[in-house]
């Protein structure tokens, strides 16, 4: 059974940093396309960052501020978020895309105060 568990969200002031974690079970993060999405109230869920093999992709809105990475030993994907802005406030979700299926975590709330 595949399970993705996000953690690390919280309340932070603008300009601050947070690191989100996505611990995976049932799949290996190194072998699959892993991504972070976010959804703010009233908005569609949007891709924030993804990583597959050695390639990382970022949304224009977070380029240069966010970094996606993986820890193979811990089978965990991270999203380091720096220089946070109020518009980064959202529920952040981890997603895994395998050959056959996609899986989502339950989400973690990030709130950035101005």
């Amino acid at each position: 059974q595949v399970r993705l568990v996000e953690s690390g969200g919280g309340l932070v002031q603008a300009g601050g940093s947070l690191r989100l974690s996505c611990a995976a079970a049932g799949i290996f993060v190194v072998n699959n396309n892993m991504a972070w999405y976010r959804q703010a109230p009233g908005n569609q869920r949007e891709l924030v960052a993804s990583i597959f093999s050695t390639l990382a992709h970022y949304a224009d809105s977070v380029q240069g501020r966010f970094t996606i990475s993986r820890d193979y030993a811990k089978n965990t994907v991270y999203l380091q978020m720096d220089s946070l802005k109020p518009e980064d406030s959202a529920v952040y979700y981890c997603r895994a895309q395998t050959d056959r299926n996609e899986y989502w975590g339950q989400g973690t709330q990030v709130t950035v105060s101005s």
Side-chain angles (χ1 to χ4, degrees), residues 71-92:
D71 185 319
Y72 300 162
K74 295 183 178 179
N75 205 29
T76 298
V77 180
Y78 302 99
L79 185 68
Q80 177 66 41
M81 306 186 296
D82 299 317
S83 302
L84 282 161
K85 304 176 181 180
E87 51 264 42
D88 294 318
S89 298
V91 178
Y92 284 71

Side-chain angles (χ1 to χ4, degrees), residues 7-22:
S7 61
L11 174 64
V12 64
Q13 289 188 333
S17 298
L18 284 174
R19 189 178 79 157
L20 305 184
S21 300
C22 172

Side-chain angles (χ1 to χ4, degrees), residues 58 76 97:
Y58 298 94
T76 298
Q97 177 69 56

Side-chain angles (χ1 to χ4, degrees), residues 24-25 32-33 65 81 90 93:
N32 297 288
N33 188 325
R65 300 188 298 121
M81 306 186 296
Y93 297 91

Side-chain angles (χ1 to χ4, degrees), residues 31-104:
N31 294 336
N32 297 288
N33 188 325
M34 303 298 299
W36 287 95
Y37 283 72
R38 67 186 180 188
Q39 187 169 21
N43 291 353
Q44 290 187 334
R45 192 171 295 189
E46 63 175 354
L47 175 65
V48 175
S50 65
I51 187 165
F52 182 68
S53 185
T54 60
L55 298 177
H57 168 80
Y58 298 94
D60 289 343
S61 59
V62 307
Q63 181 76 46
R65 300 188 298 121
F66 290 11
T67 303
I68 189 170
S69 63
R70 295 170 295 190
D71 185 319
Y72 300 162
K74 295 183 178 179
N75 205 29
T76 298
V77 180
Y78 302 99
L79 185 68
Q80 177 66 41
M81 306 186 296
D82 299 317
S83 302
L84 282 161
K85 304 176 181 180
E87 51 264 42
D88 294 318
S89 298
V91 178
Y92 284 71
Y93 297 91
C94 179
R95 172 183 178 264
Q97 177 69 56
T98 69
D99 290 342
R100 297 184 178 184
N101 292 297
E102 68 172 9
Y103 302 93
W104 293 88

